[in-house]
Amino acid sequence: MSDTRIDFSAPATLRKWPSVNKERVSAALGARPYMIMDGTLDECIERFMSQPESQHHLYEIHTAPQSDLVSAILSADHVVELARLRDFIGK
């Protein structure tokens, strides 16, 4: 893992799923996440982390895959872990 690098300056998009009663509207009902912001992976993580924790499950980040650590669509749990890693490595 020491050889694995994450490019936090990679282009990314923060998206939010529509919700009803604080729960995601199902894709089976035609719902799709809408764009909150375009920016870098770092900026999207920052914006995500500034949202209330109770709403994190409504967000995801879309970016280019990077190794095994960064997939094309990052779920809320994955974003939180990347934020911890980023803070740990001093990004």
Side-chain angles (χ1 to χ4, degrees):
M1 178 138 155
S2 61
D3 292 339
T4 303
R5 304 248 191 274
I6 297 173
D7 181 5
F8 288 100
S9 64
T13 302
L14 178 64
R15 296 183 174 269
K16 183 178 182 185
W17 282 85
S19 63
V20 174
N21 296 325
K22 299 181 184 178
E23 294 299 323
R24 276 187 184 190
V25 175
S26 172
L29 297 175
R32 299 285 180 263
Y34 56 91
M35 186 178 68
I36 299 296
M37 71 169 286
D38 270 333
T40 65
L41 180 57
D42 188 52
E43 291 167 338
C44 288
I45 290 171
E46 282 297 314
R47 181 81 170 268
F48 170 89
M49 294 303 290
S50 73
Q51 303 305 313
E53 190 174 334
S54 64
Q55 293 181 19
H56 280 182
H57 67 285
L58 299 174
Y59 292 87
E60 59 191 28
I61 294 176
H62 294 232
T63 190
Q66 299 180 41
S67 68
D68 293 336
L69 297 177
V70 178
S71 59
I73 301 175
L74 304 170
S75 67
D77 291 339
H78 200 157
V79 175
V80 169
E81 290 303 316
L82 279 177
R84 288 181 183 148
L85 177 61
R86 181 196 60 182
D87 293 345
F88 177 75
I89 61 174
K91 172 68 182 130

